[in-house]
Amino acid sequence: MTENDSIRISPFAERPELIGRAYEIADTWPEFTSYEPVVNALLHQVVAEFPQYCVVATDGDRVVARGFSVPFNAELEGREETPDGGWDQVLLWAFADRRNGNPPTVASALEITIDADYLGRGLSYRMLDAMRGAVGAQGHGTLLAPVRPNAKHLRPTAPMTSYVRELREDGLPADPWLRVHVKAGGTVEKVAPASMTVSGSLAEWRTWTGLPFEADGDVAVPGALVPVQCSLVHDRAVYVEPNVWVRHRAARPSA
């Protein structure tokens, strides 16, 4: 547990009474991401199934941030630590390993979400540090993260491979969320080109975004990191989101 002023950060395993309150946060995730199939199937089970890998921040009785990670086995045939399938792939592997009894070899972050009222207070750094500590307490030396660069949506047509190489004059990433990870000691490794996929009818996308989706081709959607591909003849639009793999050293507990 870490404390600073009135904010307390702990693993959910130490505060199980908060597991059912993990989503009491005014987040800024785009609405369409909640219709991602793997999100719908598994994400809400993570904190209950892996509470020792997930952290929660409270301010008094208010839940103000959550951080989820999961363990998985990267040494089985056909697997690796930083798959192209990114977020989706490690989440699927984590639940498959739990079901099949495969011992985990590494852990991956899934999200750090800060309540909108608490943004800009440095809480992201503290949550990331707490997650590194939680993972290290489980015996892991590494925390991976399929990072969703939080300013990429402002430049949806820029290739992610070039975007991640953009640096400020001080040598740190131009993207604010990638910069948090690098300042915390993380190393940017590679792009996960298909980390999340959202597919829906044009009517569904119109509901999710308020946009007309009336022409074939790329559609710029607020909050999307890359354009959504629209097909009128198929009555379908598909969003394939790239993320960026970052490697952290887990914080081992003091002897």
Side-chain angles (χ1 to χ4, degrees):
M1 181 188 73
T2 63
E3 294 192 43
N4 186 341
D5 300 324
S6 60
I7 295 179
R8 176 184 178 189
I9 305 176
S10 311
F12 272 98
E14 295 179 8
R15 306 184 71 188
E17 74 279 7
L18 297 178
I19 289 175
R21 300 181 57 198
Y23 288 88
E24 292 182 9
I25 294 175
D27 64 53
T28 57
W29 284 87
E31 181 181 355
F32 64 84
T33 61
S34 64
Y35 297 95
E36 211 268 1
V38 179
V39 169
N40 278 330
L42 298 176
L43 186 61
H44 283 73
Q45 302 178 52
V46 166
V47 67
E49 295 294 330
F50 305 98
Q52 68 273 39
Y53 286 88
C54 301
V55 295
V56 59
T58 54
D59 188 357
D61 188 52
R62 180 177 179 181
V63 176
V64 299
R66 65 177 180 263
F68 292 171
S69 68
V70 291
F72 68 98
N73 188 309
E75 297 177 356
L76 298 178
E77 185 176 358
R79 295 192 183 184
E80 60 175 302
E81 288 190 340
T82 54
D84 286 349
W87 195 98
D88 277 357
Q89 187 63 82
V90 297
L91 186 53
L92 290 168
W93 283 345
F95 275 88
D97 289 340
R98 187 172 184 83
R99 183 173 64 251
N100 297 326
N102 299 324
T105 62
V106 72
S108 174
L110 295 175
E111 67 166 279
I112 292 176
T113 299
I114 311 296
D115 189 281
D117 290 341
Y118 286 75
L119 294 172
R121 302 188 187 188
L123 188 51
S124 295
Y125 289 96
R126 293 164 56 198
M127 289 293 288
L128 180 56
D129 185 61
M131 187 179 291
R132 290 172 58 242
V135 166
Q138 300 308 308
H140 299 287
T142 298
L143 173 67
L144 303 168
V147 175
R148 188 176 198 269
N150 64 358
K152 177 65 171 66
H153 69 100
L154 301 174
R155 297 174 55 203
T157 60
M160 185 68 87
T161 50
S162 58
Y163 181 83
V164 299
R165 293 195 296 268
E166 295 179 6
L167 305 176
R168 304 192 311 183
E169 290 184 0
D170 60 5
L172 290 170
D175 182 85
W177 190 217
L178 284 175
R179 191 159 62 246
V180 167
H181 281 268
V182 171
K183 289 177 72 173
T187 302
V188 176
E189 292 211 339
K190 68 175 190 177
V191 171
S195 198
M196 290 184 177
T197 301
V198 182
S199 177
S201 69
L202 301 187
E204 287 174 323
W205 278 99
R206 290 168 186 140
T207 299
W208 300 338
T209 66
L211 298 175
F213 279 87
E214 58 188 7
D216 287 324
D218 291 350
V219 179
V221 171
L225 306 192
V226 295
V228 177
Q229 300 293 313
C230 175
S231 172
L232 298 182
V233 69
H234 294 105
D235 186 33
R236 208 76 186 161
V238 179
Y239 173 69
V240 181
E241 178 173 291
N243 288 165
V244 181
W245 278 113
V246 177
R247 182 181 298 269
H248 288 272
R249 180 172 296 176
R252 294 300 183 104
S254 301

